[in-house]
Amino acid sequence: VVHMHVQPPRQIGHTAVDNSRRSYHWIGVKFSRLPLARCAAAHLPFSKGFREGWQYQNMMYMTAGYLVGTMSGLTWEEFTQQRILDPLKMARTCFSLEVMQQQGNYATPYRIKHTVGGGATGEWEAREFYANPVVGPAGIIHSSVADLSRWLHVHVNDGRIGNQQFVSAGNLAQMHQPQMVMPIDGFEAALLNTTIFNYGLGWFIVPYRGYTLIQHGGNIDGFSTIVGFVPQAKIGVAVLTNIEGRPLRDVLLYEVCDRVLGLSDNQWNPRLLALYEEVYKALDQEQETTADERHTDAPSTHPLEAFVGEYAADGYPDFKVKQEGDQLQGWMIGQWFALNHQHYNIFRLNLERFEEQMPVNFLMNVQGEIDRAAIQVEPTVEPLLFKRKPMPIEPDVLAALVDFYDFPIEGVELAILLKKDKLFMAVTGQSDTELMPSKWTTAGIEFQVKDETGTRVEFQKDEQGHYTLLVLKQPGMVFNAPRIKA
């Protein structure tokens, strides 16, 4: 028995080529499901209008699973265990990496190494297990061929397994019928000789050599799987492989279907191999083109330490930058990767985990300081702006700034307040505004006024090291406000 992850695909078109950017808001995150779902719904940008086109979205699968658990008074795992796995006697199927490993006889994840310009090297590389359960309903189940065969038996037997009616024939028919028309890509159209591709309730549905093939695949680090069935012939196939980003699973699905159905040899292995070789050539070409287009005489505008910091964007984990010697490192999807300079203030994050180079464009404010990072997280929307987070500062430093300051305009009072370890500026007739620490200066420390681009407050020290002067810097104006002495 071999255990595998079952996870919906990250795809280019509908092939299994990895398009990992769609997963950056949940890979490596520490959130629980409800905050993550709320965050995604509120902040993730749309690439299409409502009902404008079909799209696959792992976050919505996770949300649907969360809601199933909530409405049943259980967790999604408990509901699935009680309502699906236990009745179908899928004893070797579980939701936890630790449980899978305790059961023993499980597969190790691998990938084939790939070098730019060299294609697949043929060398196997072991991968770490993906173990974050937060998107569990979208794909964190570990299962086996034997267990998945019982699941497939339900789908080819009108909802029954043995004498048990597991799901009604009517509901099963709804799952298997097209619910949404999908735009087919060139790969699928050429491979399957069709322009028709549909999505049912959790299943891809496609015409297949005179039959209907209903299937769904998934990929996660080091694993690739697909399950499919032909309802007219009552045959089902489960393919689990412990290698990522290769079409072996599809080859085996199509080959088994053809042989059981008595169809002619369709040369699936050489055809898919040729297709993927072209895909890898295209990936190589992209990196070679990027290298050719590099402006070698265009250094960055700032020294490396100016880019160091933490950057935040709503709906995504923080993007972090650190310096190690003459090399920047970028933190994304829960780990550090090399952040290599390309030209100007554009760097490329070497996401070795996905064999991908992601451009990062660092931007300046009007003071010439690096304060944002524009990252193309999702290819079909505008680059996402990650804004530099406030500089960490000790509470006792903040407390030392609290006082009244003598503003030079008569009748205007200015005070600095501390509320729950956050500094605020109170000015006569205005709402209190938060001050976010931005940098140390030669004279003291400077804060950015929240939500007011270009407005800053600098606290300057005297010769004894005491903060005695507040300098309010607004576009076009600078006010000096000495600290009021008791």
Side-chain angles (χ1 to χ4, degrees), residues 225-237:
T225 133
I226 195 166
V227 290
F229 54 95
V230 179
Q232 301 99 320
K234 295 187 180 298
I235 63 170
V237 183

Side-chain angles (χ1 to χ4, degrees), residues 398 401-408 412-419 422-436 447-450 452 454-459 470-474 479-481:
L398 296 178
L401 305 174
V402 173
D403 211 335
F404 289 91
Y405 292 79
D406 187 12
F407 200 72
V412 177
E413 295 184 351
L414 188 154
I416 299 299
L417 314 173
L418 190 61
K419 304 177 184 179
K422 292 184 179 181
L423 208 64
F424 288 81
M425 181 172 63
V427 179
T428 301
Q430 300 179 12
S431 301
D432 296 352
T433 54
E434 185 180 348
L435 302 180
M436 301 182 297
F447 290 74
Q448 173 71 44
V449 178
K450 187 176 182 180
E452 292 187 29
T455 302
R456 295 158 291 143
V457 175
E458 183 182 21
F459 295 89
L470 182 153
V471 181
L472 176 61
K473 304 175 182 178
Q474 296 177 317
F479 297 98
N480 292 321

